[in-house]
Amino acid sequence: MTTIDTPARPAALGDGTVGTFVARAADWATSTDHKKIGRLYAVTGLLAAVAVAVIGALLGLERTDDAGNVLDGGALLQLFQLHRVGLVFAMAIPVTLGVAIAIAPMQVGARAMAFPRLALTGFYSWLGGITLTIVALAANGGIGGGDAQMVDMFLAGLGLTVLGLLASAASVATTVLTTRAPGVTLRRVPFMTWSALVQSLALLVALPVMFGAIVLLFVDTRDAEQFEAETIP
């Protein structure tokens, strides 16, 4: 068993059905090519950056309005959390991690990325988790939310997001540390790859702690709901 999977070459265009949109989408969705995985991360993160910019503009407009009639008071807290969560977990980390996935293996002379399926699984875990987080915040979840089920969904989605980023960061760190070409020592690694390695190691240290805190918060909220159900007639 090795840490490297050689990306399969696409089938030759015969009757034209392989070159359809569905086939190309399936190729991208299941590809173990690190360049495609990195692009999936980066492009999705850039799309999220547009949404984060729009939310930031709305929050800035709310601050400039003395009457405070631009946004509803109940939605202001959720939008503020959505902006902060999106800024970090939907834009900054995914974009930089996607660039690292796409470029780092080439800069170290690796034949392929280490654990590419783990990186792809991490992308889908991140995408599903951030989607659940956004839905929960839109439905009055998040910190201080009025819907207990949506608060649970918010924590579950955030935990899934963290696990996805953790899996992809592990793949990047393993690639830089173990799949370098002969003669490419860490002293010869470009600064871009060094920054990718430092980011990945930092995520590997910080994200498990955050995931543990999310689990504790989830258990605490569930126990609080059960306690209220048992004590309140």
Side-chain angles (χ1 to χ4, degrees):
M1 180 178 180
T2 63
T3 61
I4 294 177
D5 293 329
T6 303
R9 294 183 178 180
L13 297 178
D15 55 359
T17 58
V18 180
T20 62
F21 174 78
V22 175
R24 292 180 183 275
D27 177 63
W28 276 81
T30 59
S31 176
T32 57
D33 185 358
H34 66 93
K35 295 184 291 295
K36 292 184 178 181
I37 299 173
R39 290 174 185 173
L40 289 174
Y41 258 119
V43 172
T44 309
L46 291 176
L47 292 177
V50 177
V52 169
V54 172
I55 296 173
L58 291 176
L59 292 175
L61 186 62
E62 174 67 23
R63 294 188 183 97
T64 59
D65 184 21
D66 295 334
N69 296 324
V70 178
L71 298 174
D72 180 72
L76 186 59
L77 177 61
Q78 306 304 323
L79 282 176
F80 185 80
Q81 294 180 68
L82 183 58
H83 182 259
R84 292 296 182 266
V85 171
L87 191 64
V88 177
F89 294 102
M91 186 192 74
I93 297 179
V95 169
T96 55
L97 196 58
V99 172
I101 291 173
I103 296 179
M106 294 186 293
Q107 288 194 338
V108 299
R111 180 166 55 88
M113 185 177 189
F115 305 119
R117 288 186 175 87
L118 179 64
L120 183 62
T121 302
F123 167 75
Y124 286 119
S125 176
W126 164 78
L127 184 61
I130 202 66
T131 302
L132 289 177
T133 303
I134 294 172
V135 171
L137 287 172
N140 197 23
I143 301 173
D147 192 329
Q149 292 184 349
M150 291 298 104
V151 172
D152 293 340
M153 181 183 289
F154 170 77
L155 293 174
L158 197 57
L160 192 61
T161 301
V162 168
L163 287 179
L165 296 175
L166 188 63
S168 298
S171 181
V172 173
T174 306
T175 299
V176 178
L177 293 175
T178 65
T179 64
R180 300 188 306 275
V184 181
T185 63
L186 287 177
R187 296 182 62 182
R188 296 184 177 180
V189 168
F191 287 116
M192 167 63 199
T193 302
W194 257 112
S195 64
L197 177 60
V198 171
Q199 181 200 27
S200 300
L201 293 178
L203 292 176
L204 290 175
V205 172
L207 290 183
V209 179
M210 182 177 180
F211 181 76
I214 293 173
V215 171
L216 291 177
L217 286 173
F218 184 83
V219 173
D220 184 62
T221 56
R222 298 297 297 178
D223 289 344
E225 295 173 9
Q226 183 178 1
F227 178 77
E228 292 179 358
E230 292 176 353
T231 55
I232 298 177

